[in-house]
Amino acid sequence: MLEITDLRVEYEKGVPTLDHYDLTVHSGELVSLLGPSGCGKTTTLRAVAGFVVPASGQITVAGRDVTRIPPNQRDIGLVFQSYALFPHLTVAQNIAFGLRMRGVRGSERDRRVAEALKLVDLEGLGGRRPAQLSGGQQQRVALARAVVIEPQLLLLDEPLSNLDAKLRVTMRTEIRRLQQRLGVTTLYVTHDQIEALAISDRVVVMNQGRIEQSGSPEEIYKQPATPFVADFLGFENHFAGTVTAVQNGETQLQAAGRSFTAIHADHDLNPGNDVWVYFRSEAAQLAAAPAANSLPVEVLLRTFQGSAVEYVVQSAQGEFKVRMPEDQLRFDPGPAHLLLNPQQLIVMPKT
């Protein structure tokens, strides 16, 4: 449904924000562009919408080249971060705006507006002004306005960033349910990792105008392909090591004079390679006695977090965070041993 080929975008002449950028979104798929501020995800969305003219490359929607076509002729629905509702129009008039611009009149327009209000659970509120609605209701109006025109492609630019944490969780579920019900191809921009993982068929992690990794939420979460993706997706612990052997699907490592085993299948590593070893805080445990794949640590801090306890520990390999269920053995500041699960160690070359 959407094909971006060799795209180059320059805000400053000769300085690319996106360069040699390629992306495919299949019909009915929801793809999230995930990354920190300035990585190029919103620029990608703006180029697809037609608000940015590329220096080179091609954008096609449903096989039609839209690279140089004005935004209002691209058959694309767009939900802005600020919602961009007209304050002087009612909810129904806001939703009907795109239909009016397309020449839809009379009973047909009224019917489609009523269906859109029902679709986003705002029946009975069509006569209100945006200022009379909550943030979540305004977000639904923006969604209804985007989908009422029945676009081939739906673009959402951080649509939940203005909502409080609890409402964000509710609204991301509603957006996903609505997208699946309509079957509309969707490109979704966010900097929130949990949001992207929860809502997407596929997650595209971006960094400095390029794609670092693209895959299913499970692949991105469990098997980051680069140090940047690992850091960004919550592998907050890592240490340096050297590969000593690779055999039978296992990687043997040496780090600060200690040996470790990692189950490894994604990188072409060889003995002598310098690597980073990443692990999540919940993928390690504290123990009173040493064991295989363990290292001595000093517990520095214990923080109670309800159902879990977070420990900060110091080792020869550095400082780590460990998150354990609250009902497990308690460790107070002092010596302990950190057990690392070989199945959950991510090993990647330092380069």
Side-chain angles (χ1 to χ4, degrees):
M1 180 59 71
L2 171 65
E3 188 82 29
I4 302 175
T5 307
D6 200 24
L7 191 70
R8 181 182 175 94
V9 174
E10 300 175 354
Y11 288 120
E12 181 182 345
K13 187 171 179 60
V15 182
T17 301
L18 299 174
D19 197 16
H20 300 297
Y21 186 91
D22 298 293
L23 178 67
T24 299
V25 182
H26 301 291
S27 181
E29 191 177 28
L30 192 157
V31 172
S32 287
L33 302 181
L34 174 66
S37 297
C39 71
K41 56 188 187 294
T42 294
T43 296
T44 303
L45 200 78
R46 289 172 59 81
V48 174
F51 300 135
V52 172
V53 179
S56 60
Q58 185 182 53
I59 301 170
T60 63
V61 176
R64 175 183 175 224
D65 187 347
V66 299
T67 314
R68 308 294 172 184
I69 292 178
N72 64 323
Q73 297 177 22
R74 295 196 180 200
D75 195 16
I76 288 173
L78 179 60
V79 178
F80 296 93
Q81 181 177 343
S82 62
Y83 311 145
L85 302 177
F86 298 111
H88 62 289
L89 300 182
T90 66
V91 167
Q93 290 168 339
N94 267 282
I95 294 173
F97 181 80
L99 296 174
R100 286 175 48 210
M101 294 298 101
R102 286 162 175 77
V104 180
R105 298 284 187 265
S107 60
E108 172 64 13
R109 185 175 69 197
D110 294 341
R111 179 188 66 79
R112 289 171 65 172
V113 169
E115 289 179 351
L117 284 167
K118 183 178 180 180
L119 191 66
V120 296
D121 294 325
L122 289 178
E123 291 176 288
L125 300 182
R128 292 191 184 181
R129 306 282 184 185
Q132 297 173 301
L133 303 179
S134 68
Q137 289 171 328
Q138 290 183 41
Q139 203 259 5
R140 289 194 189 103
V141 175
L143 273 172
R145 184 177 60 184
V147 301
V148 74
I149 63 173
E150 299 175 356
Q152 292 180 309
L153 181 65
L154 180 61
L155 307 179
L156 296 100
D157 185 11
E158 305 223 32
L160 307 183
S161 61
N162 293 327
L163 304 179
D164 61 65
K166 184 177 180 180
L167 189 54
R168 279 202 303 271
V169 174
T170 301
M171 289 308 304
R172 77 186 184 209
T173 302
E174 291 192 18
I175 288 175
R176 182 56 164 160
R177 185 181 293 130
L178 178 63
Q179 185 268 338
Q180 290 184 327
R181 189 187 312 167
L182 297 174
V184 61
T185 308
T186 303
L187 191 61
Y188 189 102
V189 165
T190 181
H191 65 274
D192 187 311
Q193 300 96 315
I194 301 301
E195 189 176 301
L197 295 173
I199 206 171
S200 309
D201 294 305
R202 184 156 50 95
V203 178
V204 175
V205 183
M206 293 182 60
N207 179 32
Q208 296 182 343
R210 57 189 174 87
I211 294 175
E212 288 270 340
Q213 186 175 356
S214 175
S216 70
E218 292 82 4
E219 290 170 343
I220 296 292
Y221 183 82
K222 295 179 180 179
Q223 292 292 331
T226 68
F228 174 84
V229 177
D231 285 331
F232 194 74
L233 266 294
F235 283 82
E236 61 265 71
N237 299 316
H238 69 277
F239 59 89
T242 302
V243 176
T244 57
V246 180
Q247 57 185 1
N248 301 324
E250 294 185 352
T251 302
Q252 304 298 323
L253 306 163
Q254 192 80 11
R258 303 190 67 85
S259 297
F260 299 91
T261 299
I263 306 302
H264 168 75
D266 288 342
H267 296 284
D268 295 325
L269 294 175
N270 296 295
N273 287 163
D274 292 326
V275 295
W276 289 117
V277 182
Y278 284 84
F279 64 96
R280 295 184 183 275
S281 58
E282 63 270 21
Q285 287 187 316
L286 292 177
N293 256 40
S294 72
L295 62 151
V297 298
E298 186 78 14
V299 177
L300 303 179
L301 183 66
R302 178 185 186 273
T303 306
F304 176 71
Q305 298 181 351
S307 61
V309 175
E310 183 177 270
Y311 294 93
V312 178
V313 302
Q314 181 69 47
S315 75
Q317 284 83 357
E319 187 175 282
F320 304 129
K321 290 182 179 179
V322 183
R323 187 176 175 86
M324 297 170 57
E326 187 273 333
D327 57 0
Q328 289 195 2
L329 181 63
R330 176 187 176 116
F331 288 86
D332 292 314
H337 292 271
L338 182 65
L339 308 183
L340 302 177
N341 186 341
Q343 297 280 358
Q344 298 189 32
L345 294 180
I346 303 296
V347 184
M348 58 185 70
K350 276 194 173 182
T351 55

